[in-house]
Amino acid sequence: MKIERAEVIVTSPNRNFVTLKLTTDDGLSGLGDATVNGRELAVVSYLNDHVVPLLIGIDAHRIEDTWQFLYRSAYWRRGPITMAAIAAVDMALWDLKGKAAGLPVYQLLGGASRTGMMAYGHASGKELPELFDSIREHQELGYRSIRIQPGVPGLEAIYGVASNTGLAGNEGVRYDHEPAQRGALPMQEDWDTRAYLRHVPMVFEAVRAEFGPELPLLHDGHHRMTPLQAAAFGKSLEPYDLFWLEDCTPAENQEALHLVRQHTTTPLAIGEVFNTIWDFQALIKEQLIDYVRAASTHFGGISPLKKVMDYAAQYQIKSGCHGPTDISPVGFAAQLHVGLAIHNFGIQEYMQHGPRTNATFEQSMTFVDGHLHPGDRPGLGVELDVDEAGKYPYATAYLPYNRLADGTVHDW
């Protein structure tokens, strides 16, 4: 089964997506996701100029060999652009292998370990009434686990709140589902860590009082705290029994997690910005995290995602894969197949794509009673409507950034 054609397709139905389509000499086609939010064209160039020429004529069944070739032959390894390009190839090859075998990819990974995967949605609000309404709306949609992202008094627009303003070019799209603003420059937001640390525990106290102790609640700190702040914050949230606290401190400073662990038993989830299994090596071995947040798209695809989760299983660490709308339906399906197969699945982030995206990517995935399933179509279960994709050309878009009150740029 030889690769005969490789195409890089860029489309922007509700946001920009980069999709690799591989076609074999016997007419099968496979898809891979190469989207890097706000830097999409860098991956397009990497694929078109440096990877696609290497794929023509290779044996599509040799997934591991191709992955190692693309990773090691470049010499300059890792990084989101390189790994997203490799991820697209890896996903597309698994898609092809599944179609050739007549089986969904999860069957090739060892078969299902569960009937469905618990998903969490994103509730948010600038004030408590808006937040409570958002929680109820997500429960009505079927979510059984919910991430809580409140506004902070005195801050106009912050990460994760759906009703944020200033979204020119993204009208009709929830800000927390797609914060990347279409336009020539990124949007500036404001930040005050001390105000955040004071306010958020009071929000969780109110949420628990309103919705009770059984609802699993999550929260994303989005890399904005110092190690000491993160340790104190995790401790302050212990009475509210969080499912996890995500990205409490910048992930690059992995030693910081020792300090956080010493001061709080709040479970920790980290890794959406990581690109390889080596980024997790110490965090897993030293048991500094409880959930692996790797995204198949930024992590090199299905093959390394399965490997890192097998490694994490030795330490009772579970999966919690990154799953907002900057992961295309193709990349999301790849994560679902891995999640269904591994024993140590934890939870799956699930932001629902917009109608134009769902018309562009036909999906076999289901979401029933709070649980996801990738479906039983051969391969990944996603097909790209090329004609529909052609209706939505690339649009320049950037994620926002933060400045403190004195003008200092801060982690968003």
Side-chain angles (χ1 to χ4, degrees):
M1 190 166 68
K2 304 292 186 183
I3 301 298
E4 189 173 74
R5 188 166 68 256
E7 306 164 80
V8 181
I9 300 164
V10 182
T11 184
S12 190
N14 293 103
R15 64 154 335 276
N16 294 319
F17 295 113
V18 180
T19 306
L20 177 67
K21 181 178 181 181
L22 301 181
T23 304
T24 66
D25 53 4
D26 53 4
L28 292 177
S29 63
L31 299 178
D33 179 23
T35 306
V36 176
N37 201 355
R39 298 294 186 269
E40 297 89 354
L41 296 185
V43 194
V44 173
S45 175
Y46 194 103
L47 282 168
N48 276 328
D49 297 332
H50 302 293
V51 174
V52 165
L54 305 176
L55 300 177
I56 306 306
I58 69 166
D59 182 353
H61 282 303
R62 299 183 64 175
I63 299 175
E64 180 69 16
D65 181 70
T66 301
W67 195 100
Q68 297 293 344
F69 167 65
L70 292 175
Y71 182 80
R72 297 179 187 279
S73 68
Y75 186 70
W76 310 108
R77 303 177 182 180
R78 309 169 78 174
I81 305 306
T82 295
M83 299 312 292
I86 295 175
V89 177
D90 186 78
M91 290 179 208
L93 293 180
W94 278 106
D95 195 19
L96 285 168
K97 188 179 282 287
K99 289 174 178 175
L103 293 169
V105 167
Y106 75 82
Q107 294 288 15
L108 306 179
L109 300 175
S113 291
R114 56 197 47 81
T115 57
M117 290 162 282
M118 178 68 78
Y120 71 89
H122 291 205
S124 67
K126 289 189 174 182
E127 306 288 344
L128 284 178
E130 181 182 325
L131 176 62
F132 288 179
D133 287 345
S134 181
I135 294 171
R136 294 188 183 98
E137 288 168 5
H138 279 78
Q139 289 177 315
E140 290 171 3
L141 289 170
Y143 289 98
R144 301 291 177 262
S145 304
I146 298 176
R147 192 183 84 167
I148 304 297
Q149 299 297 136
V152 174
L155 301 181
E156 177 59 29
I158 66 170
Y159 166 81
V161 179
S163 57
N164 279 358
T165 57
L167 300 179
N170 279 19
E171 292 86 353
V173 180
R174 282 181 52 147
Y175 169 86
D176 57 339
H177 281 212
E178 186 42 65
Q181 179 181 357
R182 296 187 179 191
L185 295 171
M187 182 175 68
Q188 179 181 317
E189 297 181 353
D190 49 356
W191 185 247
D192 183 333
T193 305
R194 287 174 58 83
Y196 166 79
L197 295 176
R198 289 193 303 268
H199 182 67
V200 172
M202 293 187 291
V203 170
F204 274 92
E205 181 180 24
V207 170
R208 278 292 181 221
E210 181 72 16
F211 293 93
E214 297 300 323
L215 179 64
L217 301 177
L218 304 87
H219 179 69
D220 185 0
H222 223 239
H223 320 281
R224 292 169 297 193
M225 289 168 273
T226 67
L228 191 60
Q229 290 168 341
F233 187 57
K235 187 72 174 177
S236 71
L237 294 174
E238 285 179 11
Y240 314 115
D241 187 27
L242 267 64
F243 187 95
W244 79 33
L245 171 60
E246 177 187 346
D247 290 336
C248 58
T249 193
E252 297 94 327
N253 181 12
Q254 297 190 13
E255 291 185 3
L257 274 299
H258 286 283
L259 177 63
V260 180
R261 276 294 209 213
Q262 289 169 6
H263 292 280
T264 181
T265 58
T266 297
L268 303 177
I270 283 190
E272 69 183 42
V273 297
F274 291 165
N275 307 130
T276 72
I277 191 170
W278 293 279
D279 295 314
F280 283 103
Q281 189 176 57
L283 294 182
I284 291 173
K285 184 177 181 180
E286 298 174 25
Q287 302 179 68
L288 298 178
I289 59 174
D290 302 281
Y291 295 92
V292 168
R293 286 281 291 149
S296 60
T297 301
H298 309 130
F299 200 69
I302 290 170
S303 299
L305 187 60
K306 177 69 162 56
K307 291 175 184 177
V308 79
M309 291 317 309
D310 288 341
Y311 176 49
Q314 299 178 68
Y315 299 93
Q316 297 176 290
I317 294 171
K318 296 184 178 183
S319 71
C321 290
H322 182 63
T325 58
D326 63 3
I327 305 297
S328 90
V330 178
F332 193 70
Q335 294 179 174
L336 295 188
H337 284 277
V338 174
L340 197 66
I342 59 175
H343 179 259
N344 56 327
F345 171 80
I347 200 167
Q348 174 62 59
E349 181 178 19
Y350 176 41
M351 283 186 177
Q352 299 189 17
H353 283 290
R356 293 195 296 271
T357 295
N358 290 330
T360 303
F361 296 89
E362 188 207 350
Q363 304 157 60
S364 63
M365 178 199 79
T366 58
F367 178 56
V368 179
D369 193 28
H371 288 73
L372 293 156
H373 193 286
D376 287 309
R377 289 187 197 165
L380 292 176
V382 181
E383 297 297 334
L384 177 67
D385 185 330
V386 177
D387 291 335
E388 188 71 17
K391 297 177 182 178
Y392 309 110
Y394 169 82
T396 301
Y398 290 101
L399 289 168
Y401 72 103
N402 272 339
R403 286 192 187 273
L404 304 180
D406 67 357
T408 302
V409 174
H410 190 69
D411 291 304
W412 172 67

